[in-house]
């Protein structure tokens, strides 16, 4: 068995031991040749560091070494020896090489040069072999593990909520339809509409936009649950902030009010960022340098106010300032930025939905701290949020981060049946379609809360990547579903 004798490169670079008989396996990043020796740079995905394999020409034929080209997958048996160079502590002195898979260096897409992110999206099946994307994948893994660890330590139960649903939790209407109907001969009813009674589920079904509603059902018996799964939005948007398929972390908690909800969300974010600094040190340092280099290519006024590591420390070291929507509205309306018309979307009447530029101003300019905005106008929030006594606002909360704006959105849920029915009637929602959701208010209702963390947006923050397509291995966007 191959893995019984293999040593990962991560173990080698973290060790201070010189060993005489070691087997490594990986992919060739680069190869350079001199008169009597060849140097092969090898990476196996276990860490950001490569290992330099030294091959002497009197031990390996020229024809054989030509087959060990960029992109090839090889096994090397050899010894760990002190490096003669300054870039690494150890070299790997090759004694035997086996080629698992050859690669034509002339057509291999990942040549030993700097590639644009746009180009790497065209070779998505290979881009994780680069330093940038292998680092992102490792950080993503650590953050996934961190999410599960955080909730497990606090006694939450993980629930797999449906991917196929008949409801539109957000009421946005941007849904992917799931159907087995013959597209060449779609059945119609008497009104000329698609007859979904002849479909697989006997009614219209779609890919879920959120696991929240089902999460609430489970919390009304399990106490504290969370779901962490894929969600889908058929929004025809090609921006750097949108995906058609993305992952959401959505806890729902019985007996939590809005204050409890905010405390939990703040704790989760700080827990994850602390884990990132502790367990992804090398990858984050690489991504930090990459972010710095990228910022230098921008105009002065477009550059980020903080580097990647500074942003993470900014969130960890500062308290999350809590303010109401109305207080934030007054700050934004009266700030010089708004009066000088520097906002793309000027702040005028109360009730406007804050944009990313407004959220970032509150965090980076005014409070100079992460911010939690509460008590939003009910007309810009979802039907399930608890209505306040003023009949104008709801017990909602958004957590705002530097460089990105909204990171978490949540609320205390409306537990009062009559209030929930009233709000659904105002929005012309079908009560019968959500009878099961309303039953939780009929049978043992209680104060409860929850929030959603868009995992890819969080990954953008922790890796410093400007485009959300670069923090998920295989992004789904309008016109892009190849990989």
């Amino acid at each position: 068995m191959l893995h019984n004798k293999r040593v990962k490169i991560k173990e080698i670079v973290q060790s201070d031991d010189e060993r005489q008989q070691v087997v490594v396996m990986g992919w060739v990043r680069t190869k350079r040749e001199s008169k009597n020796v060849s140097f092969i740079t090898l990476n196996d995905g276990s860490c950001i560091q490569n290992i330099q394999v030294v091959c002497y020409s009197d031990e390996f034929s020229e024809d054989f070494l030509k087959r060990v080209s960029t992109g090839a997958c090889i096994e090397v048996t050899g010894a760990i020896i002190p490096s003669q160079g300054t870039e690494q502590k150890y070299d790997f002195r090759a004694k035997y090489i086996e080629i698992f898979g050859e690669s034509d260096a002339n057509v291999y897409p990942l040549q030993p040069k700097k590639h644009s992110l746009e180009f790497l999206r065209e070779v998505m099946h290979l881009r994780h072999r680069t330093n940038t994307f292998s680092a992102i994948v490792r950080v993503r893994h650590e953050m996934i593990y961190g999410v599960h660890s955080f909730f497990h330590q606090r006694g939450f139960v993980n629930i797999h909520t449906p991917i196929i649903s008949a409801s539109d939790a957000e009421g946005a209407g941007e849904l992917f339809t799931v159907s087995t109907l013959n597209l060449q001969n779609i059945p119609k009813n008497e009104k000329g509409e698609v007859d979904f009674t002849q479909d697989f589920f006997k009614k219209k079904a779609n890919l879920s936009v959120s696991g929240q509603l089902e999460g609430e059902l489970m919390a009304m018996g399990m106490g504290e649950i969370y779901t962490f799964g894929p969600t889908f939005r058929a929004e025809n948007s090609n921006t750097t902030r949108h995906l058609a398929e993305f992952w959401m972390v959505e806890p729902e908690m019985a007996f939590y009010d809005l204050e409890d909800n905010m405390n939990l969300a703040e704790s989760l974010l700080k827990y994850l960022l602390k884990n990132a600094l502790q367990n992804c040190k090398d990858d984050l340092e690489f991504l930090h340098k990459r972010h710095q280099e990228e910022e230098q290519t921008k105009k002065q006024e477009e550059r980020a106010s903080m580097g990647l590591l500074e942003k993470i420390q900014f969130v960890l070291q500062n308290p999350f300032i809590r303010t109401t929507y109305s207080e934030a509205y007054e700050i934004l309306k009266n700030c010089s930025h708004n009066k000088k018309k520097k906002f793309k979307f000027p702040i005028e009447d109360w009730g406007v939905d804050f944009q990313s530029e407004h959220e970032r101003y509150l965090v980076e300019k005014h409070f100079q701290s992460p911010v939690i905005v509460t008590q939003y106008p009910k007309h810009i929030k979802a039907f399930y949020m608890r209505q306040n006594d003023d009949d104008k606002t709801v017990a909602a909360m958004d957590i705002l981060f530097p460089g990105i704006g909204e990171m978490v959105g949540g609320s205390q849920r409306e537990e009062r049946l009559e209030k929930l029915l009233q709000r659904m009637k105002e929005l012309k929602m079908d009560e019968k379609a959500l009878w099961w959701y309303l039953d939780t208010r009929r049978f043992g209702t209680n104060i409860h809360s929850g929030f959603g963390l868009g995992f890819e947006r969080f990954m953008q923050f922790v890796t410093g990547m400007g485009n959300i397509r670069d923090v998920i291995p295989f992004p789904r966007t309008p016109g892009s579903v190849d990989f």
Side-chain angles (χ1 to χ4, degrees):
M1 296 176 67
L2 291 176
H3 69 271
N4 283 344
K5 58 182 180 178
R6 175 192 173 201
V7 176
K8 292 187 178 182
I9 291 174
K10 181 179 181 179
E11 181 183 335
I12 293 174
V13 299
Q14 291 180 346
S15 172
D16 291 327
D17 297 335
E18 295 179 29
R19 283 180 273 179
Q20 294 303 308
Q21 187 75 13
V22 178
V23 177
V24 295
M25 304 173 189
W27 293 267
V28 177
R29 289 281 179 88
T30 63
K31 186 180 76 171
R32 59 186 176 88
E33 299 170 333
S34 62
K35 186 176 181 181
N36 298 314
V37 65
S38 294
F39 299 95
I40 298 168
T41 303
L42 199 68
N43 188 279
D44 65 0
S46 63
C47 62
I48 196 76
Q49 290 92 349
N50 306 310
I51 193 165
Q52 180 170 268
V53 179
V54 182
C55 306
Y56 288 97
S57 55
D58 59 347
E59 298 177 5
F60 296 92
S61 72
E62 183 179 348
D63 288 341
F64 178 82
L65 288 177
K66 281 182 179 179
R67 295 169 56 204
V68 183
S69 57
T70 302
C73 184
I74 63 175
E75 173 191 277
V76 186
T77 302
I80 302 170
I81 60 175
S83 176
Q84 300 299 310
T86 58
E87 294 186 6
Q88 61 277 331
K89 186 175 181 181
Y90 294 112
D91 283 338
F92 197 80
R93 170 80 156 78
K95 297 177 182 176
Y96 173 78
I97 296 177
E98 180 179 350
I99 301 174
F100 288 151
E102 295 187 30
S103 173
D104 186 342
N106 294 319
V107 296
Y108 182 60
L110 303 179
Q111 295 297 315
K113 64 178 183 178
K114 186 178 179 64
H115 294 288
S116 70
L117 296 176
E118 290 78 9
F119 169 76
L120 291 173
R121 290 182 206 123
E122 296 174 6
V123 290
M124 216 172 291
H125 56 306
L126 297 170
R127 67 177 182 172
H128 53 277
R129 295 192 192 181
T130 66
N131 282 338
T132 296
F133 286 94
S134 64
I136 291 169
V137 171
R138 283 187 294 269
V139 174
R140 184 181 175 99
H141 161 76
E142 187 64 41
M143 295 301 93
I144 292 169
Y145 181 76
V147 168
H148 290 296
S149 297
F150 175 87
F151 287 114
H152 180 72
Q153 290 169 14
R154 286 158 180 78
F156 280 63
V157 178
N158 180 230
I159 301 296
H160 291 162
T161 51
I163 291 174
I164 300 173
S165 174
S167 68
D168 177 5
E170 300 292 331
E174 296 161 338
L175 307 172
F176 286 102
T177 300
V178 176
S179 175
T180 59
L181 293 176
N182 183 354
L183 298 182
Q184 305 303 317
N185 186 23
I186 299 176
K188 302 288 183 70
N189 59 24
E190 294 177 353
K191 297 180 181 180
E193 301 167 338
V194 177
D195 186 2
F196 284 105
T197 63
Q198 298 186 44
D199 208 348
F200 185 89
F201 293 106
K202 309 304 179 186
K203 62 172 63 176
K204 187 175 181 181
N206 52 267
L207 294 179
S208 177
V209 299
S210 170
Q212 179 202 315
L213 301 190
E214 291 85 358
E216 282 190 58
L217 305 186
M218 298 303 295
M220 297 298 99
M222 301 302 297
E224 297 164 326
I225 69 93
Y226 73 103
T227 181
F228 185 3
T231 53
F232 307 85
R233 303 283 170 91
E235 184 176 356
N236 191 12
S237 178
N238 260 310
T239 75
T240 59
R241 294 167 59 91
H242 290 90
L243 290 169
E245 175 186 288
F246 54 98
W247 290 69
M248 289 287 293
V249 180
E250 297 177 291
E252 293 292 329
M253 301 79 63
F255 319 118
Y256 274 53
D257 62 15
L258 186 63
E259 186 77 14
D260 299 321
N261 202 26
M262 290 188 286
N263 292 340
L264 182 74
E266 180 176 345
S267 296
L268 170 64
L269 292 168
K270 289 188 172 181
Y271 179 93
L272 293 176
L273 292 175
K274 185 177 179 181
N275 267 12
L277 290 179
Q278 288 178 342
N279 302 324
C280 307
K281 184 175 180 291
D282 292 341
D283 287 324
L284 286 185
E285 286 179 353
F286 171 83
L287 292 169
H288 173 75
K289 291 176 183 176
R290 185 206 159 276
H291 181 262
Q292 284 182 318
E293 292 171 1
E294 187 178 70
E295 289 298 308
Q296 290 301 315
T297 66
K298 298 179 181 178
K299 297 178 182 178
Q300 185 66 40
E301 61 272 17
E302 295 176 350
R303 292 177 185 173
S305 58
M306 288 177 273
L308 172 59
L309 294 176
E310 285 84 3
K311 280 195 306 181
I312 294 174
Q313 291 292 354
F314 175 89
V315 172
L316 285 173
Q317 294 173 2
N318 288 297
F320 284 30
I321 301 296
R322 301 180 183 188
T323 186
T324 67
Y325 170 91
S326 294
E327 292 167 345
Y329 163 76
E330 291 295 335
I331 291 168
L332 292 168
K333 182 182 179 182
N334 297 312
C335 72
S336 60
H337 214 73
N338 191 52
K339 291 179 178 178
K340 292 178 180 178
K341 303 187 184 303
K342 291 186 177 181
F343 284 136
K344 182 179 178 181
F345 300 95
I347 295 291
E348 296 174 351
D349 297 330
W350 185 92
V352 65
D353 201 357
F354 295 156
Q355 303 297 315
S356 177
E357 60 176 340
H358 308 135
E359 295 166 341
R360 290 184 59 185
Y361 180 89
L362 292 170
V363 172
E364 298 168 27
K365 302 294 184 184
H366 185 80
F367 289 108
Q368 297 183 356
S369 188
V371 176
I372 307 181
V373 179
T374 64
Q375 318 305 340
Y376 278 83
K378 75 174 185 179
H379 70 270
I380 62 173
K381 290 296 183 180
F383 78 98
Y384 48 72
M385 296 189 178
R386 195 180 201 276
Q387 300 168 59
N388 293 324
D389 293 339
D390 59 13
D391 201 35
K392 290 173 56 182
T393 61
V394 290
M397 66 97 174
D398 285 352
I399 299 182
L400 314 181
F401 268 24
I404 206 159
E406 181 190 338
M407 183 59 67
V408 163
S411 73
Q412 185 173 325
R413 311 313 191 189
E414 182 57 81
E415 84 281 8
R416 298 164 295 183
L417 178 61
E418 66 280 4
K419 287 286 188 180
L420 191 57
L421 287 169
Q422 172 195 337
R423 185 66 181 134
M424 292 175 70
K425 187 175 182 181
E426 289 174 6
L427 297 172
K428 297 182 172 56
M429 295 179 65
D430 184 4
E431 297 173 19
K432 293 180 181 178
L434 290 175
W435 63 270
W436 44 270
Y437 184 72
L438 294 171
D439 264 5
T440 59
R441 276 67 176 175
R442 294 188 176 102
F443 308 127
T445 189
N446 60 73
I447 288 173
H448 61 288
S449 300
F451 63 82
L453 167 65
F455 190 66
E456 280 70 37
R457 185 170 292 189
F458 176 77
M459 281 298 301
Q460 277 190 273
F461 180 82
V462 78
T463 62
M465 301 304 289
N467 195 316
I468 200 167
R469 302 175 192 204
D470 296 328
V471 296
I472 188 170
F474 304 105
R476 297 294 182 247
T477 55
S480 179
V481 73
D482 292 342
F483 299 97

